[in-house]
Amino acid sequence: MSVEILTYAALGARLNISAAAARSLARRLHLPRSLSDDGKALVSVDLAEIRHTPHPPAGHRAGEAFQLRALIATLQAEIVQLEARAAGNRADFEYERERADRLMAELLQATAETTATKQAAARLEGEVTALRTALQAGSSNENHGNSARRLGHVAASLVEADRRASRG
């Protein structure tokens, strides 16, 4: 455990790193520093206590950078494909929504027509029931005349309902 006094360049050469990296390491480890007579910085260091493994130089990372650029290009192409698929899905959604709105309008129209038909049928059933009741009550000429008139109204209502149904 001998303490040596080295310049940043000498420390870098011993650790197989650059002088700038050696300066950064000395600062990070809070190694004692002093100035030499010629103005260079000297660092007091015990090399046995420093556990430093140098990172590979930037030249070795060029292959990694190329792989990363290729991955980025692939991901960007995938993003474009996904955006196109999303646009297609959106168009399908809009079409189906318009179709559902049309079907809902048709359903509401059919419901209204069904309700009107049920009301007309109930009214006609009421008139037929009234006619039967009148016929069962008596067979006088006066009742017979009213019954005939009512029967004429029922027939006219049936014809009108049939015309409305055939128009719709």
Side-chain angles (χ1 to χ4, degrees):
M1 289 202 239
S2 64
V3 174
E4 297 182 40
I5 299 177
L6 302 169
T7 63
Y8 292 131
L11 178 62
R14 293 289 264 314
L15 295 176
N16 202 15
I17 57 175
S18 68
R23 182 174 183 265
S24 176
L25 178 67
R27 284 185 155 195
R28 197 170 47 248
L29 296 176
H30 301 288
L31 298 176
R33 293 174 292 192
S34 60
L35 285 178
S36 67
D37 292 337
D38 61 352
K40 291 186 178 186
L42 298 173
V43 180
S44 301
V45 61
D46 184 1
L47 291 174
E49 289 183 8
I50 295 179
R51 293 184 184 100
H52 177 74
T53 55
H55 293 292
H60 294 287
R61 293 187 184 158
E64 290 176 16
F66 178 75
Q67 289 175 345
L68 290 175
R69 285 188 194 104
L71 179 62
I72 288 171
T74 303
L75 291 174
Q76 286 174 339
E78 190 174 331
I79 287 171
V80 168
Q81 289 175 347
L82 290 173
E83 287 174 344
R85 190 180 310 160
N89 289 343
R90 183 68 183 175
D92 290 345
F93 169 77
E94 292 297 330
Y95 171 77
E96 291 299 328
R97 184 173 184 165
E98 289 173 6
R99 187 170 151 249
D101 289 344
R102 284 192 310 271
L103 289 173
M104 183 58 78
E106 289 177 15
L107 178 64
L108 291 173
Q109 179 66 32
T111 302
E113 289 174 2
T114 302
T115 304
T117 303
K118 284 181 181 179
Q119 289 173 349
R123 184 177 47 79
L124 290 172
E125 283 178 15
E127 290 181 19
V128 168
T129 303
L131 281 173
R132 283 187 183 146
T133 305
L135 285 175
Q136 288 174 357
S139 62
S140 69
N141 284 339
E142 189 177 311
N143 266 347
H144 186 66
N146 286 335
S147 296
R149 218 173 337 154
R150 281 187 177 172
L151 187 57
H153 286 298
V154 171
S157 295
L158 285 172
V159 169
E160 182 62 28
D162 187 44
R163 285 182 184 162
R164 276 193 234 137
S166 65
R167 278 189 242 149

